[in-house]
Amino acid sequence: KYGSVDNAYLDDNGQKVDLPEGIAHFLEHKLFESEDGDAFSKYAKTGAYSNAYTSFDRTCYLFSCSNRFYDNLKILLDFVRSPYFTEATVNKEQGIIGQEIKMYDDMPNWRVMFNMLEGMFYTHPVRIDIAGTVQSIAKITDKTLYDCYNRFYSLSNMFLVLAGDFDEGQVLDFINKNLAVDDTQNKKANAVIENEPDNVKQNLVNCNLDVAKPLFCIGFKESGRAKTPTIKQIAGMEILLKMLAGSASPLYKSLLEKDLINEEFSFEYFTGRGFSLPIFDGESDNPKEVLNLILAEADRLKSGGFDNKLFEASRREIYGRGIRRFDSAEGVCSMLTDSAVLEYNLFDYFDALASITKQDILNQLSVFTAEKAVLSVVNPIEKGGN
């Protein structure tokens, strides 16, 4: 449970320790290395697929295989518990990740999202690019990586998710035999995420990049509190967004008829440990009008109520989509990971979907106001411009 938002913690004396932005992502890159070769090379010999990623609230290391399962599991258990950092390898990685950061700075879909988050939040670290900045990663040393690893990579802050054809008892015996436990490094993470004002920092954010059509990202700030949404809030907002802007909604049809959106239009409930906000994104020649129509439809629902058929159809579609994920081992792992990070029982989500009432949905409509909205737009570079 360690992601880019965890950029500060309380030490054993209760003192706040600030970390360089992007260090969680940097640590993920470096953990694959060891004195006897990197983990990717070891997985290549077993024929397994391996990867890793860092998001706002987690860092995940994963593999999938059709054979040699226990060999692959041992590689995973070994390398995540065997950090190896040197000054030389850290300096090399700073150049590699620095190029990655510059690449993402030029990606319109990435930029429009983070510009929205920067306009939304004053201090909450979710507004910071997951990889940090070229300046922030320059502050990372082998010592800060070890300090960070010892703080956040304790067994009390880690979880293992498995899905496939194996014997659970044998796997547990294997883990107990092969997972070294060092209590001296099993510290509590004590991550610190500061609260901030409920109001947004900036309602409109514009920038220019090389795009053919303007891109937009609209977010609505639920609260300045660093609070993880409940599973019922997540289920309720997913139903609400489907009713508000799904393909069967009056709003979606209106936006299409007025040529304000195209097939790139999408929406999601952007959530994680300590943050949550509904967002809409896509392409449009008039993003401000898209925002106005979203607000108008929310006001109509607040005063006029919901269409019962649309409510039930939206709930059933989301419920069915979740059930279908059990057909995939990867889907099961993803759902179990979400439940571990956000600290709920996997099946609580389906219970919440089944028990949601129209009044629950109505209560969540309060976030859709102009004061809570941030509109981020990436405009095309004008001919002859820079």
Side-chain angles (χ1 to χ4, degrees):
K1 297 181 182 179
Y2 178 46
S4 64
V5 299
D6 302 305
N7 60 6
Y9 67 88
L10 297 179
D11 65 16
D12 297 337
N13 297 316
Q15 299 298 308
K16 183 183 175 184
V17 178
D18 291 313
L19 299 166
E21 296 168 0
I23 193 169
H25 173 260
F26 200 104
L27 182 56
E28 172 229 309
H29 275 230
K30 299 307 298 174
L31 202 58
F32 277 92
E33 297 179 2
S34 65
E35 291 185 272
D36 62 344
D38 68 87
F40 281 123
S41 299
K42 296 176 182 178
Y43 278 125
K45 293 178 181 178
T46 66
Y49 166 79
S50 62
N51 208 340
Y53 65 89
T54 303
S55 66
F56 295 99
D57 64 354
R58 70 196 72 176
T59 304
C60 293
Y61 302 87
L62 58 100
F63 74 83
S64 60
C65 63
S66 56
N67 54 39
R68 300 184 66 177
F69 169 64
Y70 288 100
D71 291 338
N72 291 308
L73 181 57
K74 188 173 191 313
I75 293 171
L76 178 66
L77 297 178
D78 286 347
F79 86 81
V80 298
R81 297 290 289 162
S82 305
Y84 174 70
F85 315 125
T86 67
E87 182 179 355
T89 60
V90 169
N91 290 340
K92 179 181 178 182
E93 197 68 35
Q94 284 169 335
I96 295 172
I97 295 180
Q99 290 300 315
E100 181 181 334
I101 291 170
K102 293 176 182 178
M103 177 186 71
Y104 275 98
D105 282 343
D106 291 331
M107 294 178 64
N109 287 318
W110 189 260
R111 195 69 271 141
V112 73
M113 168 74 166
F114 275 93
N115 284 353
M116 183 274 292
L117 293 175
E118 289 172 8
M120 181 76 65
F121 298 102
Y122 289 84
T123 60
H124 196 296
V126 74
R127 69 192 293 273
I128 301 165
D129 194 305
I130 293 169
T133 65
V134 174
Q135 293 75 25
S136 69
I137 65 169
K139 302 174 184 177
I140 296 174
T141 67
D142 52 336
K143 181 183 182 303
T144 56
L145 287 177
Y146 276 116
D147 289 345
C148 218
Y149 176 89
N150 291 334
R151 175 61 56 176
F152 290 99
Y153 277 66
S154 63
L155 290 180
S156 62
N157 201 44
M158 300 169 73
F159 53 88
L160 178 65
V161 176
L162 300 168
D165 184 14
F166 53 80
D167 183 273
E168 184 178 340
Q170 291 181 13
V171 169
L172 291 174
D173 288 342
F174 184 85
I175 292 170
N176 288 330
K177 292 176 182 177
N178 289 275
L179 187 62
V181 179
D182 184 352
D183 289 336
T184 63
Q185 292 185 346
N186 204 24
K187 299 178 180 179
K188 290 185 178 180
N190 289 331
V192 177
I193 300 178
E194 302 289 349
N195 291 332
E196 66 161 47
D198 284 345
N199 61 299
V200 304
K201 182 180 179 182
Q202 191 175 346
N203 290 112
L204 177 63
V205 186
N206 281 292
C207 77
N208 292 52
L209 288 173
D210 188 13
V211 294
K213 193 179 184 74
L215 305 183
F216 70 87
C217 183
I218 300 167
F220 293 89
K221 190 173 189 178
E222 288 196 315
S223 172
R225 299 187 304 277
K227 185 178 180 181
T228 303
T230 67
I231 192 60
K232 191 169 185 178
Q233 287 174 314
I234 293 174
M237 184 57 75
E238 288 182 348
I239 295 172
L240 173 54
L241 290 176
K242 192 74 177 174
M243 294 175 61
L244 181 65
S247 57
S249 69
L251 172 63
Y252 183 79
K253 295 175 183 177
S254 176
L255 290 171
L256 278 180
E257 290 171 357
K258 296 178 179 180
D259 201 25
L260 288 170
I261 61 169
N262 55 26
E263 66 278 0
E264 298 298 322
F265 179 73
S266 65
F267 53 85
E268 68 170 302
Y269 192 33
F270 178 64
T271 63
R273 279 187 300 108
F275 61 90
S276 61
L277 60 151
I279 63 174
F280 305 80
D281 56 59
E283 298 178 345
S284 179
D285 289 321
N286 193 346
K288 290 184 179 179
E289 184 61 17
V290 175
L291 171 58
N292 289 337
L293 289 176
I294 291 173
L295 291 171
E297 179 64 6
D299 287 341
R300 186 186 72 81
L301 292 176
K302 291 173 188 177
S303 59
F306 301 120
D307 179 274
N308 289 332
K309 290 183 179 180
L310 183 58
F311 169 70
E312 194 58 38
S314 299
R315 186 203 343 227
R316 288 174 180 268
E317 181 179 343
I318 294 170
Y319 193 98
R321 185 176 62 200
I323 294 297
R324 287 196 299 273
R325 296 186 72 187
F326 284 96
D327 287 336
S328 161
E330 183 178 339
V332 172
C333 278
S334 178
M335 289 190 292
L336 286 171
T337 299
D338 285 341
S339 64
V341 171
L342 301 180
E343 299 181 351
Y344 64 84
N345 182 290
L346 172 59
F347 295 100
D348 289 346
Y349 172 73
F350 296 95
D351 291 338
L353 282 173
S355 65
I356 289 288
T357 67
K358 288 196 293 183
Q359 187 58 49
D360 293 327
I361 303 293
L362 189 62
N363 293 339
Q364 291 185 272
L365 267 171
S366 60
V367 69
F368 294 101
T369 67
E371 294 74 25
K372 294 285 187 179
V374 175
L375 170 61
S376 167
V377 182
V378 171
N379 292 296
I381 299 173
E382 296 182 7
K383 292 182 179 180
N386 296 317

